[in-house]
Amino acid sequence: MCRMNSVRSPMAEAIARHALPASIFVASAGVRAGDRDPFVDAVLAEEGMGLDEHQPRTIDDLEDNYFDLIVTLAPEAHHAALEFTRSMAVDVEYWPTPDPTVITGTRDQIMHAYRDVRERLKHRMAKRFAAETQENDAD
């Protein structure tokens, strides 16, 4: 979960779908819906991943309110997730992740910022879900 479900959380969703077993339900959402970001598509494509028909959505847009874990990537999303899960038995983890949209400069500089987020998410996810990813590799 991130602020607008247009950069960090969709990137995390694509990475999770690529790395984790298909039996694990993965969905991304934001506090508010933003606009799809073409830089996200570009850095995911470099790794053979994509967002398919993903359109930014909010936590209220998700059909299933039952989650075992909500990972938040931005302070605003973390506070919203804690509020959302107040009466639920669900773990909420905060993974501080920089917002690459604040980077200005050349296309290469901007792409570097997005790649940095992608690599941070891949690393964090690999550490957090090591058992699941090893199980997926064995299949």
Side-chain angles (χ1 to χ4, degrees), residues 78-107:
H78 188 67
H79 295 296
L82 291 175
E83 181 65 26
F84 177 75
T85 61
R86 238 183 351 187
S87 62
M88 303 165 117
V90 60
D91 292 329
V92 178
E93 293 182 11
Y94 178 46
W95 297 359
T97 306
D99 181 358
T101 65
V102 300
I103 301 301
T104 59
T106 66
R107 184 179 195 286

Side-chain angles (χ1 to χ4, degrees), residues 6 16 32 35 62 71 89 97 108 119:
S6 58
R32 292 179 302 286
D35 295 317
L62 295 178
V71 174
T97 306
D108 286 341
E119 293 307 308

